[in-house]
Amino acid sequence: MLGLAEFVRQKRKEVNLIQEEFADRAGVALTVVIKIEQGKENLNLEKVNQVLKMFGHTLAPVNTKEISV
């Protein structure tokens, strides 16, 4: 299973876009794409979803009650 960083990087490369072009098309700042692809933490979920919508996906907030320990 691909992590978020690998998924976004792989999908972006499949459509032959550099990070700057991809960010522009997704409607986010270049730094957002860079942070996602570097696997940074504390990302803005709204911005991540803007990027993922380019591929027909979104992330939903995780409800801690749904996580079994």
Side-chain angles (χ1 to χ4, degrees):
M1 176 181 225
L2 291 177
L4 178 63
E6 295 85 14
F7 175 80
V8 170
R9 185 179 311 107
Q10 179 181 4
K11 291 293 189 179
R12 175 182 60 78
K13 288 183 177 186
E14 285 176 11
V15 294
N16 296 316
L17 294 174
I18 63 172
Q19 288 177 328
E20 189 173 12
E21 294 168 328
F22 182 72
D24 186 51
R25 290 192 186 188
V28 297
L30 174 59
T31 56
V32 172
V33 173
I34 291 170
K35 286 179 181 180
I36 292 171
E37 289 191 5
Q38 289 179 345
K40 300 287 184 181
E41 297 180 8
N42 299 324
L43 297 170
N44 180 312
L45 183 59
E46 184 177 327
K47 299 294 183 186
V48 171
N49 278 332
Q50 276 184 258
V51 169
L52 291 176
K53 283 180 186 176
M54 295 283 292
F55 310 116
H57 295 280
T58 58
L59 286 178
V62 176
N63 182 338
T64 56
K65 293 178 183 177
E66 296 174 3
I67 301 174
S68 59
V69 181

